Amino acid sequence: MANSRNTALVLGGTGRTGARVAKKLVEHGFNARTAARHGASVMFDWDNPDTYSAALDGVDRVYLVSPTMRVKFADQVADFLDLAEQSRVRHITYLSTYGSDRAPAEVDIHAVELDLARRKSFSHSILRPAWVMQNFSDEHLPLIGGQITVPTGSGSEAFVDAEDIASVAVATLLTPAAHAGATYAPTGPQSLSVADVADIIANVAGCPVAHNDIDPEAWIGAAVEAGFVPADYAVALRWLTTAIITGDGSRPNDDVERVTGRPATTFEQFARRNATAWM
């Protein structure tokens, strides 16, 4: 694709953050090429390396979203990054997760961060967001029978709006030099338990909502048995929920405002914006 310099490749371009990143880039007058298995500008499949080169053709920066619902993917990402170097990509922004540097050895998410840090042919930024607010308004943590079922105990998390994650990502993609080597941990402005979240949703939706704090192993087992996640992904679910249960959930910081110039979205603001999801 000739004459396509200053084009960002957005992996996961139809997903929760990727679609928002692409939209915001276009709103800033920037070229965005979405990539996904279906419904994107170009077809991209982590399990088909033949799709990597075409997606990278002519781009100079990448929003990197590693394979979802998997724990082993570092080798695939490394192959993609090798091609990115050959394609003269100048910057990569990687969507990681909060606490990635303390992830179990079986989960490759920190391995990708380390791989990026070793490469010198392009700059990089890393995003380690808190749990995303959209989990509560989509199929991840649906409201069923007036209950949000997830094993988090009374622990809290600084839930963050996917819009804010995307805004931080876009800032790093528009001006890579200003964010080279940076690690940001986008959060919301409040630490909330899931019971707190339930109360906010109840107030907005006008109906009773409660937190069903199910046994963690029962919840993970049910998710695997139902086919919602592969069996080997249980280790990731256990890690992510245990962090909150044990008080190691994310805490509010000012990264969103520091990078974007505006305050992070509160959960109440998010809930009012998405009230129809629970009605």
Side-chain angles (χ1 to χ4, degrees):
M1 296 183 183
N3 300 320
S4 57
R5 281 181 55 81
N6 295 328
T7 295
L9 173 65
V10 181
L11 299 187
T14 59
R16 284 195 298 188
T17 61
R20 289 173 168 87
V21 167
K23 181 175 182 290
K24 292 176 186 295
L25 285 170
V26 171
E27 288 171 350
H28 280 85
F30 203 84
N31 296 321
R33 180 186 304 161
T34 57
R37 283 179 295 177
H38 307 286
S41 304
V42 294
M43 194 274 189
F44 184 88
D45 185 346
W46 279 111
D47 294 328
N48 182 2
D50 290 341
T51 64
Y52 298 2
S53 292
L56 284 164
D57 184 23
V59 306
D60 69 343
R61 61 203 76 187
V62 177
Y63 180 63
L64 174 62
V65 179
S66 51
T68 58
M69 295 298 174
R70 301 187 189 181
V71 293
K72 306 308 291 184
F73 47 78
D75 289 346
Q76 288 173 296
V77 176
D79 290 343
F80 173 82
L81 294 177
D82 288 344
L83 285 175
E85 288 184 319
Q86 295 169 26
S87 300
R88 299 183 181 177
V89 166
R90 296 192 299 110
H91 180 82
I92 291 185
T93 292
Y94 176 45
L95 179 66
S96 184
T97 191
Y98 171 77
S100 57
D101 53 338
R102 301 188 299 281
E106 301 94 323
V107 180
D108 277 352
I109 195 155
H110 187 50
V112 173
E113 295 183 3
L114 295 175
D115 188 359
L116 283 168
R118 285 192 293 265
R119 296 177 187 259
K120 305 305 178 185
S121 60
F122 49 67
S123 61
H124 73 277
S125 304
I126 294 172
L127 307 187
R128 294 176 175 173
W131 279 33
V132 181
M133 292 178 183
Q134 278 75 6
N135 283 338
F136 296 99
S137 60
D138 63 20
E139 70 279 2
H140 287 77
L141 295 174
L143 183 62
I144 299 176
Q147 293 186 322
I148 302 170
T149 300
V150 61
T152 53
S154 60
S156 61
E157 175 80 0
F159 300 104
V160 64
D161 189 350
E163 292 284 348
D164 290 339
I165 299 172
S167 293
V168 173
V170 166
T172 68
L173 291 165
L174 290 175
T175 56
H179 304 281
T183 297
Y184 299 118
T187 71
Q190 305 158 288
S191 287
L192 299 171
S193 67
V194 175
D196 294 330
V197 166
D199 288 343
I200 293 170
I201 292 174
N203 184 57
V204 168
C207 61
V209 179
H211 175 207
N212 176 23
D213 186 31
I214 189 172
D215 174 78
E217 294 306 314
W219 183 73
I220 292 168
V224 171
E225 184 177 355
F228 293 141
V229 299
D232 64 352
Y233 196 72
V235 66
L237 290 180
R238 194 171 292 114
W239 161 52
L240 293 169
T241 53
T242 299
I244 298 179
I245 293 169
T246 59
D248 194 31
S250 62
R251 293 291 177 263
N253 62 51
D254 65 352
D255 281 5
V256 171
E257 185 167 9
R258 185 158 54 93
V259 176
T260 69
R262 60 169 182 76
T265 305
T266 68
F267 197 93
E268 183 171 0
Q269 290 170 329
F270 166 79
R272 293 192 180 283
R273 196 178 77 220
N274 294 275
T276 56
W278 306 293
M279 295 178 178

